[in-house]
Each structure stands twice: as C-alpha cells, then as structure tokens.
Amino acid sequence: MSPTKEKLRDVKFEEAMEIAGYGKFSMYIIFLSGLTISISLLGSVDISYLLPAAECDFQLSSADKGLLSSAYFIGTIAASHLSGFLADTLGRRYILVRGLSLNVLVYILTSLAPNFWTFFVLKFLTGVLTCPTMIATFPFLGEFIPTKRRSQALLITTSISNLSLLYSTLIGWLTLRGTWKIDLWFITFAPWRLFYLLCGMPSLIASILFYLTPESPKFLLTRGKKGDTLKVLQRVHSINSGKLPDSYPIKSVSMDADEFAPPLVQGKGAGALLKHVCNQTLPLFKPPFFKNLVYCLIMLYSLCLCVNSIFLWLPEIINRMVQFKEENQGRFYICEMMSRDSGNVTAEPGTTGECKATINTAVFVPNFLISLVQPIVMLIASFIVPLFDRRLVLGFLVVCCSGMAFLITWVPVASVIVILLGGIPIIAGICYNVLTGIVIELFPTYIRAMAVSLNMISGRMGSITGSQLFSQMIDSHCSLLFKIISGLLLCCAVVPFFFKLKKVPPEEPSERETHT
C-alpha cells in the first residue's frame, strides 16, 4: 500500500501507459478508432454500389466508371504525405477533428452533384479529407494502448471498422432498390443520392467524438508538453480504474530510450515549411528505418494489389456469375462465367431506349456476409495472434491467401468460388492489422504518421494497379490474372521474416526498456 503513496518521477512513457491501465477508456478509444477507420473503408466501398445506380443520371461510360472509382484513391494518394506531416507536427486529434468535419460537408455537397465532373472533384476531396482517418488513427490508437495489448487492440479495431461494410450494404439494400425521384431546381434527387448522403453519417459522429477526446499523450510528450501528457494519463487511469485522477502514482513522464525529439521549424515562410517537411520525411530513408520502410511498402503494395482489387471487383464478379447461371445450367469454372460482359442496366448510355438502372440483389449478399463474418474472425484473431510470432502469422496468412487465389480457377462450383473470393479479404484483414502493428512498433513517434502515410500511398497505388489489372485481364486472361495474384502473394510471404521486432515480455512492463 505504501509505495502507491509515493509518486514516481521520470517514468518512461510505455511504463506509464502500462500503469494507466487497459479498461473502459481503452475500449472507448478502440471503438472510436474502429469507427474512424470504417470511414476510410466506406469511402472506397460506397462507389462500388453507386456506379450502377448513378449510371443513367450521369450517362456513365465504362471509362467514366473507371475514372470515378479511382477518384477516391487519387485523393488519398495526393493527401497522404501532407496528412502524415500534419499528424506528426500538429497532432493526431487536431487533423482528425478538422478532416472529418469537412468531410461531412463534402458528402452533403456530393449528394447534390449535378454532373459527372462535379461528382469526380468532390469524390477526390473525400479521398483527401478521409486520408487522416488511416494515417493518424492507427498511431492515435497505438499511443493510448499499453504495448502488450496493442496487437489485440488493432485487431478489435478492425473488427469494428468492418461494420461499415454492413452499414453500407444495409442502407444500400434499403435505398438503392427504390424507384422514387424528387425534382429539385438543379437536380433530380434519386435513391442513390440519399444512399450517398447517409454514407456521411459516420464522419459526423466521429468528428463529434474526437472533439470530446484528448490528444495522444505520446504526441504531447514528444512536443515537450509533459504537464499535458500527465493530465491525459491521469484521465486515462481514472476512467480505466474508476479512481480519482490524483490516484495515478506518477508525477512526471519522460520519453522512451528509443524515441527521438522531433526536429523544430527554423524560420518562417514556405522555405522553412518545406525544410521542415523534409526533416520529417528524410529520417525514414536513412538507417535504421529505411530497410524496414522498404519491406513495409512491398508488403502493403502487394497485399492491396492482390486483395483490394478482388474486393472492389467482387460485386461485378458476382453479378456476372448470377447472370451466367440464370442462362446456363451445370457446373462452370469462374473464367467461363467471366468470359461474357454483363451490366446492371437495361440500356447502356448512348443506346436507343430508356436507360433504367437496376441493382441485382445478389450484389449485396457477399459483402453482407463478409461484414458479418470478418468482425468475428478479427475478434478471434485478436486473442490468437499475440500467442505467436507476428512475422510467422503474417507469412502463414499470406500463403493461405495465395492458395485460395490459386484454387479459384480450379473449382467448378459457384458457391465454393464465392467462398474463396470472400475469404481472401477476410484473411487479408488480419494481415493488414498485424502489419499495422509492426509499422507502429518499427517507427518512433515523431515520424510514425509519416511512415503510415507512405505505406498508405503504396497501398493505394497497389489498389489502383490491381483494379486496372482486373479491368484489362478479367475478360480475356482470367486464369492468368488469378495465377499472377497467387504468385505475387506467395513471393510476398517471405518478406515479414526480414523485420527485426522487439521482444515484449507478457509481464513486468518496466523491463521493456531493456529489450531492443
């Protein structure tokens, strides 16, 4: 009892975070992070439902669809580096509150877009404004959670974030099948506009919650704000333990031995700002961070190229399979069912006859099932993954994805094909989170968000490359397409073993500082 009366001085941050505990406040941060990450996922998923529904209103050609589906990713790539810089210099909470609040406004404006190019520009802005949701949220989460609970927290966060898939599927099911229209002064307000407006609700909720949440204590510490850091840790300890803030047994906190003080801005003006950006970025391209950065970029680019492209094209693949099975009886391989073009409208734009957009119910089913299964898988993984070497887990799961991609073209049963197609994104979701936990560990606080931003750029580039690969090969080189995906994933499975990770013991958190 008596040791708790004496307040400890100059306690290393990770040890102070362990003492702050893991409880109700931690659960709140995990929920808020899951909600925020879901906004990024929602930004890429909503367009896949929207394109067939808005095809007639915007007179979309296939080229227009490809461009519109890329607008969000182009926006995230354009803003990734700046978002990482702002998150590392101004704060995680600072950029999240402002980005999410502005995103609500952009969603409202986009739902009222009168033409294709207006929608494209606004969708690009959505990508820019939701960029911080991935870049700043993962460091924000990791810096509020004790080290030994971090991997578990990341997996729980993703299990929550995947509920956005369920949300978009349900509101799509409820709204996009409608046929009503409201004539406004400059547009016709159709069901797809209501659907898109409702997709902005998570941004509104998250922006309000972040406004009520304190800044990351570790970020505050790296900025020399030790008093503010202590106040946040006292609040975390109080809510987690149910005790008064003064019961927190620490008087002062110091940076961990492996952390560095961030470079300061010298001078004023654009030149000084550019120099500061370089100071935040260049350490990533020097030892000891450069090799780890390259490994992370390779992993994320390959995973997103192979997995995100399958996920983004899943509604189109399912739609083709359903239409093929309606016209043909028997068992067929996936490439036989992909060999014909299929659409979702009764008349293509530019052809004679009335253009009438129709949404096949089958398009919603796979995403609905994935949204139900993936959170359960993530929760189970959150307890299993910490028991093993994360590099081994990551390598094993990537090999599983490779095997499933290879089997897709060899199975003549439609239901099994759908299971394999849906299973790959589910397993890859665990891979993403294990890799994110590794990124958070490998890079110190003052360049962590910048490292996440570069990884995000790599992942988005992989998504765009994979989507273009699908569009060029799915019709005429379907079998080769899935073999390329399988082979790339298999080659990628060896990369995790090059990471040099810290060994964190399950008990005695104070010993963590002696391990490298």
Side-chain angles (χ1 to χ4, degrees):
M1 292 286 182
S2 56
T4 59
K5 301 287 184 183
E6 293 246 1
K7 298 249 181 181
L8 305 173
R9 294 176 178 270
D10 291 328
V11 178
K12 298 299 182 183
F13 177 81
E14 290 296 348
E15 186 176 350
M17 194 71 248
E18 291 281 358
I19 295 173
Y22 184 82
K24 288 178 285 187
F25 190 87
S26 307
M27 290 297 106
Y28 165 73
I29 292 294
I30 289 172
F31 166 76
L32 177 56
S33 300
L35 174 63
T36 311
I37 299 298
S38 74
I39 295 167
S40 178
L41 177 61
L42 191 60
S44 60
V45 172
D46 57 19
I47 199 69
S48 65
Y49 290 136
L50 207 63
L51 289 177
E55 183 166 3
C56 295
D57 284 1
F58 287 159
Q59 296 293 295
L60 297 178
S61 65
S62 296
D64 293 333
K65 289 180 181 180
L67 186 60
L68 204 56
S69 62
S70 299
Y72 177 79
F73 296 114
I74 296 171
T76 56
I77 291 172
S80 288
H81 195 271
L82 179 61
S83 295
F85 169 74
L86 293 176
D88 279 335
T89 55
L90 298 179
R92 285 69 159 111
R93 174 185 174 275
Y94 180 94
I95 188 174
L96 284 166
V97 170
R98 286 153 181 81
L100 290 168
S101 300
L102 289 173
N103 195 43
V104 176
L105 176 61
V106 172
Y107 261 97
I108 294 171
L109 293 175
T110 309
S111 70
L112 302 173
N115 54 53
F116 168 80
W117 285 110
T118 304
F119 193 98
F120 175 85
V121 171
L122 290 170
K123 189 62 181 175
F124 170 84
L125 288 177
T126 297
V128 170
L129 293 171
T130 56
C131 192
T133 61
M134 290 293 285
I135 291 173
T137 303
F138 280 123
F140 182 85
L141 169 67
E143 291 159 11
F144 264 111
I145 302 296
T147 305
K148 65 183 180 182
R149 295 276 195 168
R150 204 162 285 157
S151 295
Q152 183 185 62
L154 286 167
L155 289 166
I156 296 174
T157 295
T158 302
S159 71
I160 296 171
S161 71
N162 279 285
L163 293 177
S164 67
L165 192 57
L166 177 61
Y167 175 74
S168 63
T169 301
L170 289 177
I171 64 172
W173 210 324
L174 292 172
T175 60
L176 294 178
R177 294 183 299 162
T179 57
W180 54 266
K181 290 185 179 181
I182 302 174
D183 290 326
L184 301 180
W185 172 53
F186 57 101
I187 61 166
T188 299
F189 199 87
W192 69 265
R193 295 184 184 274
L194 176 60
F195 165 78
Y196 197 77
L197 187 62
L198 292 174
C199 286
M201 282 298 296
S203 292
L204 177 62
I205 296 170
S207 63
I208 295 171
L209 292 178
F210 265 111
Y211 182 78
L212 302 173
T213 305
E215 179 60 89
S216 157
K218 196 165 191 178
F219 172 81
L220 292 172
L221 184 61
T222 62
R223 292 289 141 183
K225 299 178 179 179
K226 293 188 176 183
D228 291 339
T229 301
L230 186 61
K231 288 179 182 178
V232 173
L233 289 173
Q234 287 174 338
R235 180 178 174 184
V236 172
H237 178 263
S238 175
I239 297 175
N240 281 339
S241 64
K243 300 177 182 178
L244 294 174
D246 288 341
S247 66
Y248 188 55
I250 292 176
K251 190 169 186 178
S252 62
V253 184
S254 61
M255 288 197 297
D256 297 299
D258 58 350
E259 290 286 348
F260 302 91
L264 300 175
V265 180
Q266 302 292 332
K268 297 180 179 180
L273 180 62
L274 182 61
K275 184 178 180 181
H276 192 38
V277 172
C278 291
N279 288 337
Q280 285 289 121
T281 307
L282 289 179
L284 290 168
F285 296 91
K286 297 177 182 178
F289 307 119
F290 180 64
K291 284 200 299 185
N292 287 327
L293 177 66
V294 172
Y295 297 146
C296 290
L297 295 179
I298 291 172
M299 279 294 298
L300 202 56
Y301 179 86
S302 303
L303 279 172
C304 288
L305 188 154
C306 298
V307 177
N308 281 15
S309 54
I310 291 176
F311 182 69
L312 291 173
W313 277 79
L314 187 58
E316 172 68 15
I317 292 173
I318 299 299
N319 195 54
R320 291 193 188 190
M321 290 174 62
V322 170
Q323 293 192 3
F324 187 91
K325 294 293 287 183
E326 286 176 351
E327 299 174 5
N328 301 273
Q329 298 296 321
R331 297 165 64 156
F332 300 93
Y333 294 98
I334 186 172
C335 292
E336 293 177 301
M337 293 184 279
M338 295 298 107
S339 62
R340 59 184 294 273
D341 291 327
S342 60
N344 294 314
V345 294
T346 57
E348 290 290 333
T351 61
T352 58
E354 182 186 1
C355 177
K356 184 178 179 182
T358 58
I359 306 296
N360 196 313
T361 304
V363 170
F364 299 104
V365 175
N367 281 350
F368 178 75
L369 294 176
I370 291 173
S371 68
L372 294 179
V373 174
Q374 192 161 35
I376 298 172
V377 172
M378 288 293 180
L379 286 172
I380 295 173
S382 70
F383 295 100
I384 296 177
V385 170
L387 302 177
F388 300 93
D389 187 327
R390 286 169 291 169
R391 296 170 296 184
L392 182 62
V393 172
L394 191 54
F396 173 74
L397 292 176
V398 172
V399 170
C400 289
C401 289
S402 172
M404 294 170 73
F406 182 78
L407 287 174
I408 285 172
T409 58
W410 290 90
V411 177
V413 183
S415 58
V416 177
I417 293 172
V418 173
I419 291 172
L420 291 172
L421 287 168
I424 291 175
I426 291 174
I427 295 176
I430 305 174
C431 296
Y432 290 140
N433 285 275
V434 174
L435 183 59
T436 300
I438 291 173
V439 170
I440 289 175
E441 178 177 322
L442 290 175
F443 301 98
T445 305
Y446 82 99
I447 56 171
R448 184 171 294 150
M450 193 68 76
V452 174
S453 73
L454 292 178
N455 277 276
M456 186 174 180
I457 291 173
S458 178
R460 297 307 192 194
M461 290 296 293
S463 297
I464 293 173
T465 304
S467 184
Q468 294 301 312
L469 197 67
F470 252 83
S471 66
Q472 297 297 321
M473 299 184 70
I474 190 66
D475 293 321
S476 56
H477 300 90
C478 169
S479 181
L480 177 61
L481 170 64
F482 285 100
K483 286 182 174 64
I484 290 174
I485 290 174
S486 176
L488 184 58
L489 287 171
L490 190 61
C491 293
C492 194
V494 302
V495 176
F497 296 98
F498 292 98
F499 292 125
K500 290 190 169 43
L501 304 178
K502 301 175 185 177
K503 291 182 173 60
V504 181
E507 60 266 342
E508 297 184 355
S510 60
E511 293 182 6
R512 186 175 295 104
E513 306 303 323
T514 65
H515 290 273
T516 58

